[in-house]
Amino acid sequence: MERLDKTDFKILQLLQENSNYTIKEIAKATNLSITPIHERIKRLENEKIIEKYTAILNKKMIGKWLQVHCQVTLDKQTQQNFTEFEMAIRNFSEVVECSVVSGGFDYLLKVLVEDMDQYNLFYQSKLAVIESVAHINSFFVMKEVKNLVELPLNRWIG
């Protein structure tokens, strides 16, 4: 992997802002011609610095009004329990993020549902019935202040 320079970070910042920017628009914003921008983007993709392009959906516009963060603790920290839990979570469309964490619990989940009734149904019929789950602590998001999907690359550009 080549070292990233200021231009690479600027390209990444622009693509995070809007992955539909054309190469021409990115070239103009970086004061480079189209060919080197195209080559840099291809290199960033080939080196897996850019993993994929995706759309960030407006949760409310698709009917997912309630965002919940769940701290999940397993009854035993065994490989079998980790594997079974992770396999189950992958099948739950309500869970949009799942991370293994250190500290007082094992997993941090981000759950999107329509409302409290749907969360209660998800909690009781899916999450709480996973055999290895010992404890679930739920936090309901009242307001999203910052969307961490985008990395603050402007801080790294200098």
Side-chain angles (χ1 to χ4, degrees):
M1 180 177 90
E2 291 183 35
R3 183 164 152 43
L4 299 176
D5 62 16
K6 287 183 180 184
T7 302
D8 291 328
F9 280 115
K10 181 66 177 174
I11 292 168
L12 293 170
Q13 182 182 20
L14 290 165
L15 288 172
Q16 278 193 319
E17 182 181 307
N18 183 351
S19 65
N20 286 326
Y21 279 146
T22 65
I23 292 175
K24 185 177 180 179
E25 290 169 323
I26 295 170
K28 183 177 179 180
T30 56
N31 294 319
L32 290 176
S33 63
I34 291 172
T35 301
I37 292 298
H38 183 263
E39 290 171 356
R40 282 175 180 260
I41 291 172
K42 285 298 166 199
R43 178 179 53 82
L44 293 167
E45 291 170 348
N46 291 336
E47 291 178 1
K48 304 295 184 209
I49 293 166
I50 297 173
E51 290 185 18
K52 64 182 176 179
Y53 296 92
T54 187
I56 298 172
L57 306 179
N58 181 319
K59 293 181 280 290
K60 292 179 182 176
M61 295 299 286
I62 61 169
K64 304 297 183 185
W65 293 91
L66 185 62
Q67 180 175 313
V68 185
H69 294 275
C70 302
Q71 297 173 340
V72 178
T73 305
L74 302 183
D75 61 353
K76 295 178 186 161
Q77 286 68 34
T78 65
Q79 187 60 49
Q80 180 179 348
N81 280 356
F82 289 132
T83 300
E84 288 173 0
F85 179 81
E86 291 172 18
M87 285 176 55
I89 288 300
R90 285 187 183 98
N91 292 317
F92 299 159
S93 62
E94 300 89 347
V95 177
V96 295
E97 292 179 23
C98 175
S99 301
V100 177
V101 296
S102 63
F105 54 98
D106 300 310
Y107 290 92
L108 181 63
L109 308 180
K110 181 177 178 182
V111 177
L112 294 178
V113 290
E114 293 83 5
D115 55 28
M116 189 63 78
D117 289 336
Q118 286 300 310
Y119 179 71
N120 189 42
L121 181 63
F122 164 74
Y123 181 95
Q124 291 181 1
S125 65
K126 293 182 179 180
L127 191 56
V129 298
I130 299 173
E131 199 170 309
S132 60
V133 171
H135 184 74
I136 303 164
N137 198 9
S138 301
F139 300 89
F140 300 93
V141 174
M142 297 186 308
K143 177 181 173 184
E144 191 172 50
V145 176
K146 183 176 181 180
N147 182 345
L148 296 179
V149 171
E150 296 181 11
L151 299 175
L153 295 177
N154 58 334
R155 293 182 187 167
W156 302 342
I157 293 172

